[in-house]
Amino acid sequence: MADTGVVEALLRRVEKVDDGVDSLEVATSLELDHQVIVGAVKSLQAVGDVISAELRSSKHWELTDEGREIAEHGSHEARVFGSIPVEGLPQSELMKLSFGKIGFSKAMSNKWIRLDKAHEGGPRIFRTVESIEDQVREKLLLLQKGNASQLEEKEKNELKKRKLLSEVTVKTYWIMKGNSFSTTVTKQETELTAEMITNGSWKEKKFKPYNFEAMGVAPDCGHLHPLMKVRTQFRQIFLEMGFTEMPTNNFIESSFWNFDSLFQPQQHPARDQHDTFFLSDPALAHDFPQDYLERVKKVHSEGGFGSQGYKYDWKIEEAKKNILRTHTTAVSARMLYKLAQQKFTPVKYFSIDRVFRNETLDATHLAEFHQIEGVVADYGLTLGDLMGVLHQFFTKLGLKKWVEVGNSGIFRPEMLLPMGLPEDVSVIAWGLSLERPTMIKYGINNIRELVGHKVNLQMVYDKCGWTDFTFRM
Amino acid sequence: MPTVGVKRDLLFKALGRTYTDEEFDELCFEFGLELDEITSEKEIISREQGDSKASGASDIILYKIDVPANRYDLLCLEGLVRGLQVFKNKLEAPRYRRVSPVNGEPQKLIITKETAAVRPFAVAAVLRNITFTQERYDSFIELQEKLHQNICRKRSLVAIGTHDLDTISGPFTYTAKAPGDICFRPLNQTKEYTATQLMSLYKTDSHLRHYLHIIEDKPVYPVIYDSNGIVLSMPPIINGDHSKITLKTKNVFIECTATDVTKAKIVLDMMVTMFSEYCSQPFTVEEAEVVYPDGKTCVYPTLAVSVQHCFVLCPPDSESTEKIAQLLTRMCLRSRATGVGDEIEVEIPPTRSDVIHACDIMEDAAVAYGFNNITRTTPRTYTVAHQFPLNKLTELLRQDLAAAGFTEALNFALCSQEDIADKLGKKISETKAAHISNPKTAEFQVARTTLLPGLLKTIAANRKMPLPLKLFEISDVVLQDETKDVGARNSRRFCAVYYNKSPGFEVIHGLLDRTMQLLDVKSARGEGYHIQAADDPTFFPGRCAEIFVQGKSVGRLGVLHPDVINRFELTMPCSALEMDVEPFL
């Protein structure tokens, strides 16, 4: 709000006139800077219909820097005249003065002074008249006081040519009374304060309207990572379906548990250096369950449990090699083996954790990603059961249409029977990556924008909507 | 999953009818395959090498079909058509027969003991009175290539050689010789080379150079001669030019040399079952004798038909055993219900080496039945769910740390040695890190032993974001641990950083206090938690403290050393906290 005194002074001026007043004139008469009056006009406009103000632009003469110097000290020629004493002044002395050169020629043409070139001791200047009238200064002073109308256009143009005057466009307000004009203005409050509530002053106050079009201030908050939020969602679905979480906190796994126990032959391309990260330190695993290991070796190399096996020379050296697990199914194998060592009870297991592939990286593949896995072990499970469980799982996810996001199946007897599980127990399982559904959900095309240190934190701040967890595919 | 490309019009001609793309896609799906792409040679070249290179190429339409990895019988047009025709009940699955030659004298391949050092196994067979056309010939070559890439593991396990039998004369000798002693004119070359010269000649061959490593370092190279000393092949690299097959070839001698005899037998079976269709007596194959160094003689191809009696496991719905038997027969597995309970007798042809257990038979039954026709059921498995306690605690902590105004980062578990050692002012030997032996880049040298570098790299990638940056991560690091079977274990950590114009130690300290409050640990020496000054090269001297819970150190917090800040390409002060989560379980 502008200064109350100024606002009231302005209103008193407006009150006196019926057809309005110019803001610049008000400023001149109140001896205030024009911008102060403009501020008062604007604050009055915000209050309501106290005044009506129309923006006008007008041409206006203004003194240049040189013009202002002249208005203060006199024109150069007048100062030259003034600096010459009755006994005259050597020309060389005059030229030393700042205004000397310009003032000399102008005073000469005005015939205020004369030059005696033949004077002994060098050229000397003398006054030719008793007194002079400094019209240039007079005119500039008039202009400076805002009385431009008293000068003729010709005179003003001459001063403009001498670069003492310039013409500027001034924006002013033409101020008239508004419909609810009054000379006193109630100040509008921006905010309710504790003080107003305490003393009840809010009842008398008027409050400035809010701008409801503007955005609010963003809350200062922390954020969970989008991938981890989707992970939480998947975890919740499994828990709702009665699945128990497997301990997958072992990234380093032996080839035995990661491949051999799953009846994955030792020459399988997935066990290649190009696909799997092998460890140099600690390079080898030890302490395998010896009986079980023998049964695994046998089923690979000779068959058994109703299988012909792969009939190749199974090597313990290959099984000992430590790797970064390529799937969480390695943990499922450990869990099922553990289960087989007890009296069998049906189980439902799940896990969501990191797995590693030594693959070529591209927009949708990284060397590590999260695998979601579900496992059910019970007597006599069928393909229909697998399809039924998958349907329930994806329905909970809000996935209307089945798309290729993962794999599912029934574990082979060559995997389960060597563990010692009963023959009539079957195990159904499915797996998918966490990243792919998350990328689909949030519309992210490049996996690097989702995972790893190169993510844009703005994405983490923004990708947060998740009440409706429905995939559109 | 291998992809097989076949010319659409040839396929339709062989199938005896045409299909729309949609109809064929549907047929593939029913048969357990996937029509991956409809394209042409021209389109492929234009996509891979640009339009200019593609101008002269053929625009005959190709179907690219995805085939399950172990179905070697579907890797060529002949096998695909046979499978689909049987599936559509238009053809009865053929029975493949091994026959003796008319003159009673089978071709002989004698293996010498020298091969033991490099490639000890070989099998062989003859396709008699075969008729090639350009298409059949192309498919014959293509199948060898497909088998080489898949079951043969890029020729390392098995390599196939095919020869015009009328240009050579048995008995053949499979031996191994020093590379300098092998000399012949290889396929499509105009002069003779020694094996040594060939190895350097093929160093730059875009195709063959990938196979050189298989024998390169061996003292002797495998080689097959005929009775006149003509070289048939130098497996697994190249055949001789002399015996190469042409469109006019009538009798084909096929040899497979191997390091895995089981796979060699499968590969030979596959070659002869697929192409015996074009012999004057279709689906018959002339046997060959292989004499091993110990004098033992084996007759090939195996063409073994195994008969399996199996019970219907996991029947799709409650189909009758007869119906299942019919479905299996359509999958080239001739079957009949024996009448003994749910028993089915299944004849497994030599083309189905992938069937090694009754469950494989049932899988085919399910494919033929149609997965989408299976009625969905809900298992009655009653279970009570349990969260893994460490993950449960992690989930709770994450929520509250975000509520405390920190943003969760998610960084890779693998990183460079530099990240966890040099950049933090530590020695790699002190880190207890697990090292990867075959990283493709430095980003995958070790499993991380600390979460701090990942958070600092996240800040470095987000320097343009408004300050302060407050980040956290709760995740696993990996440490060597001799007590574990694999020699290493995961350790769950909580790490947080505060990055601003001032170090904000009090902010990180406040976060520690809040975390302890969440974990129900009071601030007290002894029973609760306290921090005390510590020396750590990662932190600014005098600005690091160790966190103790019940007298045990669980982590550190402090203001990072300016050298650390610089090494992570940061410019502002930063305070950090990293501690173990597992002690709070």
Side-chain angles (χ1 to χ4, degrees), chain B residues 8 453 527 531:
Chain B
R8 183 191 64 181
E527 279 310 287
I531 63 172

Side-chain angles (χ1 to χ4, degrees), chain A residues 408-422:
Chain A
S408 65
I410 301 181
F411 282 138
R412 295 186 70 93
E414 293 99 322
M415 166 185 167
L416 302 178
L417 296 179
M419 290 176 170
L421 285 168

Side-chain angles (χ1 to χ4, degrees), chain A residues 236-288:
Chain A
Q236 192 63 36
I237 289 170
F238 277 116
L239 291 170
E240 285 167 9
M241 289 174 72
F243 283 66
T244 284
E245 192 170 29
M246 291 187 274
T248 44
N249 56 335
N250 59 323
F251 295 163
I252 294 177
E253 189 53 278
S254 61
S255 293
F256 178 77
W257 286 107
N258 194 84
F259 297 121
D260 296 287
S261 72
L262 302 172
F263 197 51
Q264 176 107 262
Q266 293 189 328
Q267 317 85 347
H268 195 278
R271 304 180 71 153
D272 215 274
Q273 296 273 330
H274 298 295
D275 291 277
T276 298
F277 286 113
F278 287 84
L279 292 195
S280 57
D281 184 22
L284 299 176
H286 44 85
D287 291 343
F288 301 104

Side-chain angles (χ1 to χ4, degrees), chain B residues 272-445:
Chain B
V272 298
T273 52
M274 291 301 119
F275 285 88
S276 56
E277 183 180 340
Y278 302 131
C279 292
S280 59
Q281 293 284 317
F283 307 119
T284 62
V285 185
E286 185 179 305
E287 66 191 24
E289 274 180 19
V290 174
V291 184
Y292 277 85
D294 62 0
K296 204 176 78 184
T297 300
C298 295
V299 180
Y300 294 110
T302 321
L303 293 184
V305 177
S306 65
V307 176
Q308 197 154 7
H309 290 84
C310 65
F311 294 97
V312 178
L313 299 166
C314 319
D317 301 340
S318 41
E319 289 298 327
S320 69
T321 311
E322 284 77 17
K323 177 75 192 297
I324 301 282
Q326 282 169 23
L327 290 172
L328 288 171
T329 305
R330 285 176 59 200
M331 298 302 282
C332 292
L333 299 170
R334 291 164 179 266
S335 304
R336 67 177 189 91
T338 60
V340 183
D342 284 339
E343 197 191 49
I344 295 181
E345 186 185 89
V346 187
E347 201 181 304
I348 297 149
T351 46
R352 293 300 303 275
S353 59
D354 59 300
V355 177
I356 59 173
H357 191 281
C359 68
D360 297 308
I361 297 170
M362 284 309 126
E363 186 184 351
D364 266 24
V367 169
Y369 184 77
F371 282 103
N372 287 347
N373 297 324
I374 296 172
T375 309
R376 293 170 189 159
T377 49
T378 304
R380 292 177 172 189
T381 315
Y382 175 81
T383 50
V384 175
H386 300 283
Q387 301 186 50
F388 180 48
L390 181 57
N391 289 1
K392 184 178 177 179
L393 178 64
T394 301
E395 287 282 300
L396 291 171
L397 266 181
R398 286 176 51 246
Q399 302 282 343
D400 277 317
L401 288 167
F406 279 69
T407 290
E408 185 177 32
L410 179 66
N411 290 298
F412 299 126
L414 306 183
C415 60
S416 67
Q417 291 187 14
E418 200 189 13
D419 283 344
I420 56 165
D422 310 15
K423 283 185 174 180
L424 296 178
K426 306 214 164 163
K427 287 202 184 79
I428 188 73
S429 54
E430 297 165 357
T431 59
K432 294 204 280 179
H435 293 255
I436 293 164
S437 65
N438 58 333
K440 281 181 184 151
T441 69
E443 289 170 273
F444 311 117
Q445 288 174 326

